[in-house]
Amino acid sequence: MTEHTLTVAGVTVDTRHWIGGRRVASAGTFTDVSPIDGKAIGAISRGTPAEAAEAVAAAKAAFPGWAATPRAERARILHAIADGVEKRLEELAVVETTDNGALLRSHRRGVMPRVAHNFRFFADWLLTLDHEDFETRGHTNHVSWDPAGPCVLITPWNAPLMMASWKVAPALAAGNTVVLKPAEWTPLTASLLADITAEAGLPAGVLNIVQGYGSEIGDALTSHPDVRRISFTGSVPTAKHIAASSAPNLTPTSFELGGKSPLLVFADADLDLAVDLAVEQYDNAGQVCLAATRILVEESIAEEFTRRFTEKAAGLTQGDPRDEATDVGPNIHPRQLEKIDGFVRRAVAAGARTVIGGHPGDGQYYAPTLLTDVAQDSEIVQEEVFGPVLTLQTFRDEDEAVRLANDTRFGLAATLATGDHERADRVTAQLVAGTVWVNCFFVRDLQAPFGGSRESGVGREGGTWSFDFYCDLKNTVTAPKGWKDHG
């Protein structure tokens, strides 16, 4: 370990920013803390508006060269980045588990392989990106995707590297340059990504990373006139602030925001499957934007569902996320734990009944919780908790199920458990959600559009939708006449 490096789970991590292809230190630092034990990991360079401006300038300077780089070469470098991720998969997994407390087994088997896949997918999609030419009164229309310019990408703490790759990969594939701002609670794997991209041959300035607090450097990034795209995953209030900050420059934005998603369980559902889906919502200690935290169960099966759910949830093991046997790890920060407990205490005070959990454990762990006897207009039903807290309500028929499911200001996702194909078609057609899962959960294909409705987001990314956002689409119309004959 040196002045500007940390040793995290045996892995060396540079604590400085990555700007213009070199490491840049700030005068100030902030302390990164592991949620596993609440102990300090180390001091991280704390960005200021000056570093933010330097990063945007580096991205602007690098843009013409990267934009002019042939598609095949861009794709080759993205595949090389994926190779680097796979080579360092174990290091990335152990560092991210230390930093954000998510399960090590999940990072090894699912999350980090998905990071590599994100880079490979968008590299390959770039090479197939095309629109068939079409004719208008004898004139030829040709659609192209032109690189837009420097992009600011702001990522959350619940899946730091996966969400970074989900944004960075299509932005780079599109020919843009990037300034990545990782969440201040989880900065470490973004720093390792900088090393990987440099080793893969990504030119200096094409990817820049500035660490620090959004309250201190956010406006310097999102209000910068040279920034041509902003993609943000996080809270609704922050998105509104970014929208206001970027509005004077008319900078296009893509927002993936909060969720209060429902899980609808009908009497004709496979009950064991439905219970499995419900218990799965405790994944990542409930810190998943897509989680179906509102369980809606048909009255006739509610008692049996609750009994089976309680038995299944009792089998969950909560503890150190580095242990292979652990199912539920810690929550990210004492502030988040306090927020979660506040939601539960207020709900109980308002009349909610605790079926399981309802209390914090030692350190930053919160017991998996299920609350019932909750009113539809109550805070616990309407607001995102972002912790291992579910509510259970009942419905009498399809109409009531749909009404309850849609009765929030969000619309990110919905999950449906039913044994009836026609019912599935009827209900999914009425649900307000960017993604609907039927008898499954969290099956994601990068070809599909992803985003939220209502206050759950603005825009869609994935497949061609990502390139539509990260590019300036151009239509070139060519006349059939007026050409000089050089024959």
Side-chain angles (χ1 to χ4, degrees), residues 33-104:
V33 176
S34 175
I36 299 174
D37 53 15
K39 294 181 179 178
I41 299 172
I44 310 296
S45 278
R46 182 172 180 167
T48 69
E51 283 91 25
E54 185 180 351
V56 174
K60 182 181 180 182
F63 173 67
W66 183 244
T69 301
R71 284 187 178 189
E73 177 61 9
R74 277 186 252 151
R76 185 194 66 77
I77 292 176
L78 262 64
H79 274 290
I81 294 172
D83 292 340
V85 170
E86 290 173 346
K87 180 181 178 181
R88 302 187 67 178
L89 190 147
E90 179 65 16
E91 294 180 7
L92 293 166
V94 296
V95 169
E96 187 140 299
T97 290
T98 303
D99 207 17
N100 87 327
L103 301 185
L104 179 56

Side-chain angles (χ1 to χ4, degrees), residues 94-157:
V94 296
V95 169
E96 187 140 299
T97 290
T98 303
D99 207 17
N100 87 327
L103 301 185
L104 179 56
R105 73 176 193 229
S106 295
H107 281 144
R108 283 171 169 158
R109 300 170 193 171
V111 177
M112 295 309 162
R114 183 58 179 257
V115 170
H117 174 67
N118 286 348
F119 282 102
R120 295 200 192 283
F121 173 88
F122 286 107
D124 292 340
W125 199 266
L126 169 65
L127 299 181
T128 64
L129 189 65
D130 193 21
H131 190 294
E132 186 177 348
D133 290 352
F134 55 97
E135 299 294 318
T136 303
R137 299 191 301 276
H139 295 63
T140 301
N141 293 263
H142 175 74
V143 176
S144 58
W145 286 260
D146 292 352
C151 301
V152 165
L153 311 178
I154 305 172
T155 52
W157 45 258

Side-chain angles (χ1 to χ4, degrees), residues 327-379:
D327 301 305
V328 182
N331 291 98
I332 185 70
H333 193 277
R335 192 188 314 161
Q336 185 67 16
L337 193 76
E338 183 179 354
K339 176 185 173 185
I340 294 165
D341 193 44
F343 271 112
V344 173
R345 285 187 287 104
R346 289 190 297 273
V348 171
R353 179 172 64 87
T354 304
V355 179
I356 61 170
H359 58 84
D362 295 332
Q364 289 172 211
Y365 295 80
Y366 201 88
T369 297
L370 178 66
L371 302 174
T372 190
D373 297 339
V374 293
Q376 178 63 23
D377 62 353
S378 64
E379 177 192 54

Side-chain angles (χ1 to χ4, degrees), residues 256-338:
E256 193 262 285
L257 308 174
K260 196 67 180 176
S261 302
L263 165 57
L264 292 76
V265 181
F266 287 91
D268 57 19
D270 178 328
L271 203 53
D272 287 334
L273 171 63
V275 168
D276 287 346
L277 292 173
V279 173
E280 191 178 349
Q281 307 311 311
Y282 291 129
D283 182 50
N284 202 21
Q287 299 169 140
V288 178
C289 56
L290 293 161
T293 55
R294 296 185 295 129
I295 304 174
L296 308 176
V297 184
E298 195 164 351
E299 281 183 353
S300 62
I301 61 166
E303 184 176 344
E304 178 64 13
F305 175 90
T306 304
R307 183 187 68 79
R308 295 195 196 185
F309 176 92
T310 303
E311 291 178 355
K312 182 80 175 180
L316 295 173
T317 299
Q318 187 168 34
D320 191 320
R322 295 166 295 192
D323 189 329
E324 279 283 318
T326 297
D327 301 305
V328 182
N331 291 98
I332 185 70
H333 193 277
R335 192 188 314 161
Q336 185 67 16
L337 193 76
E338 183 179 354

Side-chain angles (χ1 to χ4, degrees), residues 413-471:
T415 304
L416 172 64
T418 178
D420 187 328
H421 284 284
E422 293 183 356
R423 167 172 279 155
D425 290 342
R426 287 194 304 271
V427 172
T428 55
Q430 299 175 74
L431 293 173
V432 179
T435 300
V436 179
W437 286 288
V438 180
N439 293 331
C440 61
F441 176 67
F442 218 50
V443 179
R444 291 272 308 276
D445 192 307
L446 292 180
Q447 297 180 75
F450 179 75
S453 304
R454 295 176 175 167
E455 289 195 22
S456 284
V458 175
R460 295 292 184 271
E461 295 184 41
T464 300
W465 290 274
S466 285
F467 288 94
D468 288 348
F469 172 68
Y470 286 110
C471 292

